Amino acid sequence: MVTRRSSKMGLSRPLLWAVLLHVVLILLLTVGIEWWNPEPARPAGQPIEAEVIDPAALDAARAEVEAAERASAQAQRDRHSKAAAEERRIEELQRQRAQEQERAQTATRERQAAEAAAQRAAEQVKQQRAEAQKAAQAKQLADAAARAAAEKAAQAKRQADAEAASQRAQATKAAAEKAAAAKAAASKAAADKAAAERAAASKAAADKAAADKAAVANAAAAQAAASADQANQISGYVAAIQRQVQARWRKPMNWPPGLQCDVRVKLLPSGEVISVQVVSCGDAPVFIDSVQEAVTAASPLQVPTDVRLFNEHFRNFIFVFKAEMG
């Protein structure tokens, strides 16, 4: 503002001096001509004539001064208008720069959020792969157990078949000996007939015993196969529950690495969690709370629809939660 005031004064003074110079020139033009052309001396006693300044010239000079002042005022207004426009332009540039900075910051935040989401997705994929690997290992163990049970059942059946064959061979030998004895001594026909009947009864009993043993072996094999299938089902449901709880678990800060806990859960047939208790975790209350919260958040858990299987294995059961899975 001081600079503008100085500029106004600097422009007004030259204009004022110019106007004054014009007035002086006009006066010189109107009065000086008489000074350069002196009249003859008037006789004494005559009145002195005074030179009158032309009012029109004074009005013209005044008008010129006023015009100069108006021009100066207009110039001052123009400068003010240009300065205001320049201030508005600077403010607009600053506003645009602030908007660009805001857009850049927004883009940075969005990029950081995308990178964080990508990292979480990668961690989730890694976790799913680890879970799939553990599920495959569990299936391999179950398959091995099933094969072992089937082999045991087959071995029992072979043993039963061998014993039955041995008994049949013995019965055949006894019958042959009986027939030979009947031919050798007709007098012993009645005794031989009784012996044959006893041998036949013994053979029938042996055959029945062999058949019963084979039936028992077959039932054992079927039961072993059913047990293996049930073990596979149980392992599958337990793995599904572990995945549900793991998906809801939020790892606390500064948690002790390598923790493994037994989680006791009571459930309804619908899978709703009635109660949860984390045991065998040592002295890690924050970690225990996080596991209990994860189980509660994962409710309802995935349980079998078979009522007998649920009542026997899932109404009140314990599963293992491993911290390194997260």
Side-chain angles (χ1 to χ4, degrees), residues 269-296:
S270 62
E272 295 289 338
V273 176
I274 300 176
S275 67
V276 56
Q277 180 182 8
V278 179
V279 296
S280 302
C281 265
D283 187 13
V286 176
F287 179 78
I288 291 174
D289 291 342
S290 69
V291 176
Q292 290 178 342
E293 291 173 358
V295 174
T296 303

mmCIF file with all atom_site columns, all heavy atoms in Angstrom, residues 269-296:
data_model
loop_
_atom_site.group_PDB
_atom_site.id
_atom_site.type_symbol
_atom_site.label_atom_id
_atom_site.label_alt_id
_atom_site.label_comp_id
_atom_site.label_asym_id
_atom_site.label_entity_id
_atom_site.label_seq_id
_atom_site.pdbx_PDB_ins_code
_atom_site.Cartn_x
_atom_site.Cartn_y
_atom_site.Cartn_z
_atom_site.occupancy
_atom_site.B_iso_or_equiv
_atom_site.pdbx_formal_charge
_atom_site.auth_seq_id
_atom_site.auth_comp_id
_atom_site.auth_asym_id
_atom_site.auth_atom_id
_atom_site.pdbx_PDB_model_num
ATOM 1   N N   . PRO A 1 269 ? -26.388 -78.431 18.608 1.00 0.00 ? 269 PRO A N   1
ATOM 2   C CA  . PRO A 1 269 ? -26.385 -79.152 17.321 1.00 0.00 ? 269 PRO A CA  1
ATOM 3   C C   . PRO A 1 269 ? -26.334 -78.227 16.115 1.00 0.00 ? 269 PRO A C   1
ATOM 4   O O   . PRO A 1 269 ? -25.914 -78.630 15.042 1.00 0.00 ? 269 PRO A O   1
ATOM 5   C CB  . PRO A 1 269 ? -27.693 -79.951 17.380 1.00 0.00 ? 269 PRO A CB  1
ATOM 6   C CG  . PRO A 1 269 ? -27.964 -80.144 18.837 1.00 0.00 ? 269 PRO A CG  1
ATOM 7   C CD  . PRO A 1 269 ? -27.482 -78.906 19.502 1.00 0.00 ? 269 PRO A CD  1
ATOM 8   N N   . SER A 1 270 ? -26.753 -76.976 16.298 1.00 0.00 ? 270 SER A N   1
ATOM 9   C CA  . SER A 1 270 ? -26.679 -76.012 15.191 1.00 0.00 ? 270 SER A CA  1
ATOM 10  C C   . SER A 1 270 ? -25.283 -75.451 14.982 1.00 0.00 ? 270 SER A C   1
ATOM 11  O O   . SER A 1 270 ? -25.034 -74.730 14.021 1.00 0.00 ? 270 SER A O   1
ATOM 12  C CB  . SER A 1 270 ? -27.646 -74.864 15.459 1.00 0.00 ? 270 SER A CB  1
ATOM 13  O OG  . SER A 1 270 ? -27.287 -74.185 16.646 1.00 0.00 ? 270 SER A OG  1
ATOM 14  N N   . GLY A 1 271 ? -24.358 -75.750 15.891 1.00 0.00 ? 271 GLY A N   1
ATOM 15  C CA  . GLY A 1 271 ? -23.008 -75.203 15.802 1.00 0.00 ? 271 GLY A CA  1
ATOM 16  C C   . GLY A 1 271 ? -22.801 -73.965 16.637 1.00 0.00 ? 271 GLY A C   1
ATOM 17  O O   . GLY A 1 271 ? -21.689 -73.439 16.695 1.00 0.00 ? 271 GLY A O   1
ATOM 18  N N   . GLU A 1 272 ? -23.871 -73.460 17.285 1.00 0.00 ? 272 GLU A N   1
ATOM 19  C CA  . GLU A 1 272 ? -23.730 -72.279 18.133 1.00 0.00 ? 272 GLU A CA  1
ATOM 20  C C   . GLU A 1 272 ? -22.837 -72.600 19.335 1.00 0.00 ? 272 GLU A C   1
ATOM 21  O O   . GLU A 1 272 ? -22.949 -73.665 19.948 1.00 0.00 ? 272 GLU A O   1
ATOM 22  C CB  . GLU A 1 272 ? -25.099 -71.801 18.622 1.00 0.00 ? 272 GLU A CB  1
ATOM 23  C CG  . GLU A 1 272 ? -26.024 -71.311 17.529 1.00 0.00 ? 272 GLU A CG  1
ATOM 24  C CD  . GLU A 1 272 ? -25.555 -69.991 16.949 1.00 0.00 ? 272 GLU A CD  1
ATOM 25  O OE1 . GLU A 1 272 ? -24.798 -69.288 17.649 1.00 0.00 ? 272 GLU A OE1 1
ATOM 26  O OE2 . GLU A 1 272 ? -25.936 -69.685 15.813 1.00 0.00 ? 272 GLU A OE2 1
ATOM 27  N N   . VAL A 1 273 ? -21.952 -71.642 19.659 1.00 0.00 ? 273 VAL A N   1
ATOM 28  C CA  . VAL A 1 273 ? -21.015 -71.836 20.767 1.00 0.00 ? 273 VAL A CA  1
ATOM 29  C C   . VAL A 1 273 ? -21.705 -71.484 22.080 1.00 0.00 ? 273 VAL A C   1
ATOM 30  O O   . VAL A 1 273 ? -22.213 -70.367 22.264 1.00 0.00 ? 273 VAL A O   1
ATOM 31  C CB  . VAL A 1 273 ? -19.757 -70.965 20.578 1.00 0.00 ? 273 VAL A CB  1
ATOM 32  C CG1 . VAL A 1 273 ? -18.834 -71.101 21.792 1.00 0.00 ? 273 VAL A CG1 1
ATOM 33  C CG2 . VAL A 1 273 ? -19.022 -71.380 19.316 1.00 0.00 ? 273 VAL A CG2 1
ATOM 34  N N   . ILE A 1 274 ? -21.744 -72.468 23.012 1.00 0.00 ? 274 ILE A N   1
ATOM 35  C CA  . ILE A 1 274 ? -22.309 -72.222 24.335 1.00 0.00 ? 274 ILE A CA  1
ATOM 36  C C   . ILE A 1 274 ? -21.245 -71.657 25.270 1.00 0.00 ? 274 ILE A C   1
ATOM 37  O O   . ILE A 1 274 ? -21.460 -70.674 25.982 1.00 0.00 ? 274 ILE A O   1
ATOM 38  C CB  . ILE A 1 274 ? -22.896 -73.521 24.921 1.00 0.00 ? 274 ILE A CB  1
ATOM 39  C CG1 . ILE A 1 274 ? -23.998 -74.055 24.007 1.00 0.00 ? 274 ILE A CG1 1
ATOM 40  C CG2 . ILE A 1 274 ? -23.423 -73.286 26.329 1.00 0.00 ? 274 ILE A CG2 1
ATOM 41  C CD1 . ILE A 1 274 ? -24.556 -75.378 24.451 1.00 0.00 ? 274 ILE A CD1 1
ATOM 42  N N   . SER A 1 275 ? -20.075 -72.269 25.242 1.00 0.00 ? 275 SER A N   1
ATOM 43  C CA  . SER A 1 275 ? -18.975 -71.796 26.082 1.00 0.00 ? 275 SER A CA  1
ATOM 44  C C   . SER A 1 275 ? -17.668 -72.183 25.422 1.00 0.00 ? 275 SER A C   1
ATOM 45  O O   . SER A 1 275 ? -17.607 -73.114 24.620 1.00 0.00 ? 275 SER A O   1
ATOM 46  C CB  . SER A 1 275 ? -19.067 -72.406 27.496 1.00 0.00 ? 275 SER A CB  1
ATOM 47  O OG  . SER A 1 275 ? -18.848 -73.811 27.447 1.00 0.00 ? 275 SER A OG  1
ATOM 48  N N   . VAL A 1 276 ? -16.611 -71.437 25.751 1.00 0.00 ? 276 VAL A N   1
ATOM 49  C CA  . VAL A 1 276 ? -15.280 -71.715 25.218 1.00 0.00 ? 276 VAL A CA  1
ATOM 50  C C   . VAL A 1 276 ? -14.270 -71.494 26.343 1.00 0.00 ? 276 VAL A C   1
ATOM 51  O O   . VAL A 1 276 ? -14.380 -70.542 27.117 1.00 0.00 ? 276 VAL A O   1
ATOM 52  C CB  . VAL A 1 276 ? -14.965 -70.823 24.002 1.00 0.00 ? 276 VAL A CB  1
ATOM 53  C CG1 . VAL A 1 276 ? -15.102 -69.351 24.352 1.00 0.00 ? 276 VAL A CG1 1
ATOM 54  C CG2 . VAL A 1 276 ? -13.560 -71.080 23.491 1.00 0.00 ? 276 VAL A CG2 1
ATOM 55  N N   . GLN A 1 277 ? -13.292 -72.397 26.419 1.00 0.00 ? 277 GLN A N   1
ATOM 56  C CA  . GLN A 1 277 ? -12.251 -72.312 27.443 1.00 0.00 ? 277 GLN A CA  1
ATOM 57  C C   . GLN A 1 277 ? -10.917 -72.690 26.806 1.00 0.00 ? 277 GLN A C   1
ATOM 58  O O   . GLN A 1 277 ? -10.788 -73.752 26.202 1.00 0.00 ? 277 GLN A O   1
ATOM 59  C CB  . GLN A 1 277 ? -12.568 -73.249 28.610 1.00 0.00 ? 277 GLN A CB  1
ATOM 60  C CG  . GLN A 1 277 ? -11.509 -73.197 29.730 1.00 0.00 ? 277 GLN A CG  1
ATOM 61  C CD  . GLN A 1 277 ? -11.819 -74.170 30.854 1.00 0.00 ? 277 GLN A CD  1
ATOM 62  O OE1 . GLN A 1 277 ? -12.721 -74.976 30.730 1.00 0.00 ? 277 GLN A OE1 1
ATOM 63  N NE2 . GLN A 1 277 ? -11.057 -74.105 31.913 1.00 0.00 ? 277 GLN A NE2 1
ATOM 64  N N   . VAL A 1 278 ? -9.929  -71.789 26.924 1.00 0.00 ? 278 VAL A N   1
ATOM 65  C CA  . VAL A 1 278 ? -8.599  -72.027 26.367 1.00 0.00 ? 278 VAL A CA  1
ATOM 66  C C   . VAL A 1 278 ? -7.701  -72.529 27.486 1.00 0.00 ? 278 VAL A C   1
ATOM 67  O O   . VAL A 1 278 ? -7.570  -71.885 28.534 1.00 0.00 ? 278 VAL A O   1
ATOM 68  C CB  . VAL A 1 278 ? -8.022  -70.749 25.744 1.00 0.00 ? 278 VAL A CB  1
ATOM 69  C CG1 . VAL A 1 278 ? -6.635  -71.015 25.184 1.00 0.00 ? 278 VAL A CG1 1
ATOM 70  C CG2 . VAL A 1 278 ? -8.939  -70.249 24.641 1.00 0.00 ? 278 VAL A CG2 1
ATOM 71  N N   . VAL A 1 279 ? -7.113  -73.702 27.279 1.00 0.00 ? 279 VAL A N   1
ATOM 72  C CA  . VAL A 1 279 ? -6.267  -74.312 28.311 1.00 0.00 ? 279 VAL A CA  1
ATOM 73  C C   . VAL A 1 279 ? -4.903  -74.624 27.720 1.00 0.00 ? 279 VAL A C   1
ATOM 74  O O   . VAL A 1 279 ? -4.698  -74.599 26.510 1.00 0.00 ? 279 VAL A O   1
ATOM 75  C CB  . VAL A 1 279 ? -6.926  -75.602 28.858 1.00 0.00 ? 279 VAL A CB  1
ATOM 76  C CG1 . VAL A 1 279 ? -8.225  -75.276 29.555 1.00 0.00 ? 279 VAL A CG1 1
ATOM 77  C CG2 . VAL A 1 279 ? -7.163  -76.599 27.738 1.00 0.00 ? 279 VAL A CG2 1
ATOM 78  N N   . SER A 1 280 ? -3.956  -74.907 28.604 1.00 0.00 ? 280 SER A N   1
ATOM 79  C CA  . SER A 1 280 ? -2.587  -75.313 28.217 1.00 0.00 ? 280 SER A CA  1
ATOM 80  C C   . SER A 1 280 ? -1.897  -74.250 27.386 1.00 0.00 ? 280 SER A C   1
ATOM 81  O O   . SER A 1 280 ? -1.226  -74.538 26.396 1.00 0.00 ? 280 SER A O   1
ATOM 82  C CB  . SER A 1 280 ? -2.620  -76.643 27.444 1.00 0.00 ? 280 SER A CB  1
ATOM 83  O OG  . SER A 1 280 ? -3.226  -77.654 28.221 1.00 0.00 ? 280 SER A OG  1
ATOM 84  N N   . CYS A 1 281 ? -2.094  -72.989 27.752 1.00 0.00 ? 281 CYS A N   1
ATOM 85  C CA  . CYS A 1 281 ? -1.459  -71.899 27.014 1.00 0.00 ? 281 CYS A CA  1
ATOM 86  C C   . CYS A 1 281 ? -0.368  -71.209 27.824 1.00 0.00 ? 281 CYS A C   1
ATOM 87  O O   . CYS A 1 281 ? 0.232   -70.248 27.344 1.00 0.00 ? 281 CYS A O   1
ATOM 88  C CB  . CYS A 1 281 ? -2.514  -70.856 26.599 1.00 0.00 ? 281 CYS A CB  1
ATOM 89  S SG  . CYS A 1 281 ? -3.123  -71.138 24.934 1.00 0.00 ? 281 CYS A SG  1
ATOM 90  N N   . GLY A 1 282 ? -0.172  -71.622 29.047 1.00 0.00 ? 282 GLY A N   1
ATOM 91  C CA  . GLY A 1 282 ? 0.809   -70.927 29.859 1.00 0.00 ? 282 GLY A CA  1
ATOM 92  C C   . GLY A 1 282 ? 0.275   -69.585 30.341 1.00 0.00 ? 282 GLY A C   1
ATOM 93  O O   . GLY A 1 282 ? -0.929  -69.336 30.396 1.00 0.00 ? 282 GLY A O   1
ATOM 94  N N   . ASP A 1 283 ? 1.191   -68.686 30.654 1.00 0.00 ? 283 ASP A N   1
ATOM 95  C CA  . ASP A 1 283 ? 0.832   -67.367 31.180 1.00 0.00 ? 283 ASP A CA  1
ATOM 96  C C   . ASP A 1 283 ? 0.827   -66.353 30.044 1.00 0.00 ? 283 ASP A C   1
ATOM 97  O O   . ASP A 1 283 ? 1.780   -65.627 29.831 1.00 0.00 ? 283 ASP A O   1
ATOM 98  C CB  . ASP A 1 283 ? 1.818   -66.957 32.270 1.00 0.00 ? 283 ASP A CB  1
ATOM 99  C CG  . ASP A 1 283 ? 1.383   -65.669 32.964 1.00 0.00 ? 283 ASP A CG  1
ATOM 100 O OD1 . ASP A 1 283 ? 0.217   -65.270 32.759 1.00 0.00 ? 283 ASP A OD1 1
ATOM 101 O OD2 . ASP A 1 283 ? 2.196   -65.080 33.683 1.00 0.00 ? 283 ASP A OD2 1
ATOM 102 N N   . ALA A 1 284 ? -0.255  -66.347 29.243 1.00 0.00 ? 284 ALA A N   1
ATOM 103 C CA  . ALA A 1 284 ? -0.387  -65.409 28.120 1.00 0.00 ? 284 ALA A CA  1
ATOM 104 C C   . ALA A 1 284 ? -1.840  -64.974 28.044 1.00 0.00 ? 284 ALA A C   1
ATOM 105 O O   . ALA A 1 284 ? -2.583  -65.361 27.141 1.00 0.00 ? 284 ALA A O   1
ATOM 106 C CB  . ALA A 1 284 ? 0.050   -66.067 26.816 1.00 0.00 ? 284 ALA A CB  1
ATOM 107 N N   . PRO A 1 285 ? -2.304  -64.144 29.012 1.00 0.00 ? 285 PRO A N   1
ATOM 108 C CA  . PRO A 1 285 ? -3.732  -63.793 29.064 1.00 0.00 ? 285 PRO A CA  1
ATOM 109 C C   . PRO A 1 285 ? -4.219  -63.055 27.824 1.00 0.00 ? 285 PRO A C   1
ATOM 110 O O   . PRO A 1 285 ? -5.337  -63.271 27.377 1.00 0.00 ? 285 PRO A O   1
ATOM 111 C CB  . PRO A 1 285 ? -3.824  -62.917 30.321 1.00 0.00 ? 285 PRO A CB  1
ATOM 112 C CG  . PRO A 1 285 ? -2.425  -62.429 30.567 1.00 0.00 ? 285 PRO A CG  1
ATOM 113 C CD  . PRO A 1 285 ? -1.528  -63.516 30.095 1.00 0.00 ? 285 PRO A CD  1
ATOM 114 N N   . VAL A 1 286 ? -3.395  -62.181 27.252 1.00 0.00 ? 286 VAL A N   1
ATOM 115 C CA  . VAL A 1 286 ? -3.836  -61.431 26.064 1.00 0.00 ? 286 VAL A CA  1
ATOM 116 C C   . VAL A 1 286 ? -4.055  -62.381 24.896 1.00 0.00 ? 286 VAL A C   1
ATOM 117 O O   . VAL A 1 286 ? -5.043  -62.302 24.152 1.00 0.00 ? 286 VAL A O   1
ATOM 118 C CB  . VAL A 1 286 ? -2.786  -60.355 25.701 1.00 0.00 ? 286 VAL A CB  1
ATOM 119 C CG1 . VAL A 1 286 ? -3.189  -59.646 24.420 1.00 0.00 ? 286 VAL A CG1 1
ATOM 120 C CG2 . VAL A 1 286 ? -2.661  -59.351 26.834 1.00 0.00 ? 286 VAL A CG2 1
ATOM 121 N N   . PHE A 1 287 ? -3.129  -63.341 24.744 1.00 0.00 ? 287 PHE A N   1
ATOM 122 C CA  . PHE A 1 287 ? -3.268  -64.310 23.667 1.00 0.00 ? 287 PHE A CA  1
ATOM 123 C C   . PHE A 1 287 ? -4.487  -65.201 23.901 1.00 0.00 ? 287 PHE A C   1
ATOM 124 O O   . PHE A 1 287 ? -5.256  -65.491 22.970 1.00 0.00 ? 287 PHE A O   1
ATOM 125 C CB  . PHE A 1 287 ? -1.987  -65.149 23.579 1.00 0.00 ? 287 PHE A CB  1
ATOM 126 C CG  . PHE A 1 287 ? -2.031  -66.202 22.509 1.00 0.00 ? 287 PHE A CG  1
ATOM 127 C CD1 . PHE A 1 287 ? -1.830  -65.864 21.190 1.00 0.00 ? 287 PHE A CD1 1
ATOM 128 C CD2 . PHE A 1 287 ? -2.282  -67.525 22.821 1.00 0.00 ? 287 PHE A CD2 1
ATOM 129 C CE1 . PHE A 1 287 ? -1.878  -66.819 20.214 1.00 0.00 ? 287 PHE A CE1 1
ATOM 130 C CE2 . PHE A 1 287 ? -2.324  -68.487 21.846 1.00 0.00 ? 287 PHE A CE2 1
ATOM 131 C CZ  . PHE A 1 287 ? -2.121  -68.137 20.533 1.00 0.00 ? 287 PHE A CZ  1
ATOM 132 N N   . ILE A 1 288 ? -4.708  -65.629 25.145 1.00 0.00 ? 288 ILE A N   1
ATOM 133 C CA  . ILE A 1 288 ? -5.869  -66.481 25.463 1.00 0.00 ? 288 ILE A CA  1
ATOM 134 C C   . ILE A 1 288 ? -7.163  -65.731 25.151 1.00 0.00 ? 288 ILE A C   1
ATOM 135 O O   . ILE A 1 288 ? -8.099  -66.288 24.551 1.00 0.00 ? 288 ILE A O   1
ATOM 136 C CB  . ILE A 1 288 ? -5.816  -66.892 26.940 1.00 0.00 ? 288 ILE A CB  1
ATOM 137 C CG1 . ILE A 1 288 ? -4.643  -67.863 27.165 1.00 0.00 ? 288 ILE A CG1 1
ATOM 138 C CG2 . ILE A 1 288 ? -7.131  -67.555 27.365 1.00 0.00 ? 288 ILE A CG2 1
ATOM 139 C CD1 . ILE A 1 288 ? -4.417  -68.213 28.617 1.00 0.00 ? 288 ILE A CD1 1
ATOM 140 N N   . ASP A 1 289 ? -7.242  -64.457 25.525 1.00 0.00 ? 289 ASP A N   1
ATOM 141 C CA  . ASP A 1 289 ? -8.448  -63.663 25.225 1.00 0.00 ? 289 ASP A CA  1
ATOM 142 C C   . ASP A 1 289 ? -8.682  -63.572 23.727 1.00 0.00 ? 289 ASP A C   1
ATOM 143 O O   . ASP A 1 289 ? -9.823  -63.651 23.250 1.00 0.00 ? 289 ASP A O   1
ATOM 144 C CB  . ASP A 1 289 ? -8.305  -62.256 25.827 1.00 0.00 ? 289 ASP A CB  1
ATOM 145 C CG  . ASP A 1 289 ? -8.353  -62.284 27.354 1.00 0.00 ? 289 ASP A CG  1
ATOM 146 O OD1 . ASP A 1 289 ? -8.823  -63.303 27.915 1.00 0.00 ? 289 ASP A OD1 1
ATOM 147 O OD2 . ASP A 1 289 ? -7.905  -61.292 27.971 1.00 0.00 ? 289 ASP A OD2 1
ATOM 148 N N   . SER A 1 290 ? -7.596  -63.391 22.950 1.00 0.00 ? 290 SER A N   1
ATOM 149 C CA  . SER A 1 290 ? -7.760  -63.267 21.496 1.00 0.00 ? 290 SER A CA  1
ATOM 150 C C   . SER A 1 290 ? -8.297  -64.552 20.890 1.00 0.00 ? 290 SER A C   1
ATOM 151 O O   . SER A 1 290 ? -9.126  -64.533 19.981 1.00 0.00 ? 290 SER A O   1
ATOM 152 C CB  . SER A 1 290 ? -6.420  -62.902 20.853 1.00 0.00 ? 290 SER A CB  1
ATOM 153 O OG  . SER A 1 290 ? -5.501  -63.978 20.930 1.00 0.00 ? 290 SER A OG  1
ATOM 154 N N   . VAL A 1 291 ? -7.868  -65.721 21.410 1.00 0.00 ? 291 VAL A N   1
ATOM 155 C CA  . VAL A 1 291 ? -8.360  -67.007 20.892 1.00 0.00 ? 291 VAL A CA  1
ATOM 156 C C   . VAL A 1 291 ? -9.830  -67.198 21.274 1.00 0.00 ? 291 VAL A C   1
ATOM 157 O O   . VAL A 1 291 ? -10.654 -67.614 20.449 1.00 0.00 ? 291 VAL A O   1
ATOM 158 C CB  . VAL A 1 291 ? -7.493  -68.158 21.416 1.00 0.00 ? 291 VAL A CB  1
ATOM 159 C CG1 . VAL A 1 291 ? -8.059  -69.502 20.952 1.00 0.00 ? 291 VAL A CG1 1
ATOM 160 C CG2 . VAL A 1 291 ? -6.058  -68.018 20.924 1.00 0.00 ? 291 VAL A CG2 1
ATOM 161 N N   . GLN A 1 292 ? -10.187 -66.883 22.515 1.00 0.00 ? 292 GLN A N   1
ATOM 162 C CA  . GLN A 1 292 ? -11.584 -67.021 22.929 1.00 0.00 ? 292 GLN A CA  1
ATOM 163 C C   . GLN A 1 292 ? -12.488 -66.105 22.111 1.00 0.00 ? 292 GLN A C   1
ATOM 164 O O   . GLN A 1 292 ? -13.587 -66.500 21.687 1.00 0.00 ? 292 GLN A O   1
ATOM 165 C CB  . GLN A 1 292 ? -11.707 -66.699 24.417 1.00 0.00 ? 292 GLN A CB  1
ATOM 166 C CG  . GLN A 1 292 ? -11.071 -67.760 25.319 1.00 0.00 ? 292 GLN A CG  1
ATOM 167 C CD  . GLN A 1 292 ? -11.154 -67.397 26.798 1.00 0.00 ? 292 GLN A CD  1
ATOM 168 O OE1 . GLN A 1 292 ? -11.382 -66.237 27.125 1.00 0.00 ? 292 GLN A OE1 1
ATOM 169 N NE2 . GLN A 1 292 ? -10.967 -68.368 27.666 1.00 0.00 ? 292 GLN A NE2 1
ATOM 170 N N   . GLU A 1 293 ? -12.048 -64.893 21.870 1.00 0.00 ? 293 GLU A N   1
ATOM 171 C CA  . GLU A 1 293 ? -12.837 -63.965 21.046 1.00 0.00 ? 293 GLU A CA  1
ATOM 172 C C   . GLU A 1 293 ? -12.980 -64.489 19.623 1.00 0.00 ? 293 GLU A C   1
ATOM 173 O O   . GLU A 1 293 ? -14.033 -64.339 18.994 1.00 0.00 ? 293 GLU A O   1
ATOM 174 C CB  . GLU A 1 293 ? -12.176 -62.587 21.045 1.00 0.00 ? 293 GLU A CB  1
ATOM 175 C CG  . GLU A 1 293 ? -12.242 -61.887 22.391 1.00 0.00 ? 293 GLU A CG  1
ATOM 176 C CD  . GLU A 1 293 ? -11.430 -60.590 22.399 1.00 0.00 ? 293 GLU A CD  1
ATOM 177 O OE1 . GLU A 1 293 ? -10.808 -60.292 21.366 1.00 0.00 ? 293 GLU A OE1 1
ATOM 178 O OE2 . GLU A 1 293 ? -11.423 -59.904 23.433 1.00 0.00 ? 293 GLU A OE2 1
ATOM 179 N N   . ALA A 1 294 ? -11.933 -65.108 19.084 1.00 0.00 ? 294 ALA A N   1
ATOM 180 C CA  . ALA A 1 294 ? -12.006 -65.653 17.723 1.00 0.00 ? 294 ALA A CA  1
ATOM 181 C C   . ALA A 1 294 ? -13.026 -66.788 17.649 1.00 0.00 ? 294 ALA A C   1
ATOM 182 O O   . ALA A 1 294 ? -13.803 -66.878 16.692 1.00 0.00 ? 294 ALA A O   1
ATOM 183 C CB  . ALA A 1 294 ? -10.624 -66.140 17.290 1.00 0.00 ? 294 ALA A CB  1
ATOM 184 N N   . VAL A 1 295 ? -13.065 -67.670 18.668 1.00 0.00 ? 295 VAL A N   1
ATOM 185 C CA  . VAL A 1 295 ? -14.035 -68.776 18.672 1.00 0.00 ? 295 VAL A CA  1
ATOM 186 C C   . VAL A 1 295 ? -15.451 -68.227 18.750 1.00 0.00 ? 295 VAL A C   1
ATOM 187 O O   . VAL A 1 295 ? -16.352 -68.669 18.024 1.00 0.00 ? 295 VAL A O   1
ATOM 188 C CB  . VAL A 1 295 ? -13.740 -69.726 19.842 1.00 0.00 ? 295 VAL A CB  1
ATOM 189 C CG1 . VAL A 1 295 ? -14.827 -70.795 19.940 1.00 0.00 ? 295 VAL A CG1 1
ATOM 190 C CG2 . VAL A 1 295 ? -12.389 -70.393 19.673 1.00 0.00 ? 295 VAL A CG2 1
ATOM 191 N N   . THR A 1 296 ? -15.670 -67.253 19.621 1.00 0.00 ? 296 THR A N   1
ATOM 192 C CA  . THR A 1 296 ? -17.007 -66.663 19.757 1.00 0.00 ? 296 THR A CA  1
ATOM 193 C C   . THR A 1 296 ? -17.437 -65.975 18.459 1.00 0.00 ? 296 THR A C   1
ATOM 194 O O   . THR A 1 296 ? -18.591 -66.101 18.032 1.00 0.00 ? 296 THR A O   1
ATOM 195 C CB  . THR A 1 296 ? -17.018 -65.656 20.917 1.00 0.00 ? 296 THR A CB  1
ATOM 196 O OG1 . THR A 1 296 ? -16.603 -66.316 22.115 1.00 0.00 ? 296 THR A OG1 1
ATOM 197 C CG2 . THR A 1 296 ? -18.409 -65.080 21.113 1.00 0.00 ? 296 THR A CG2 1
#
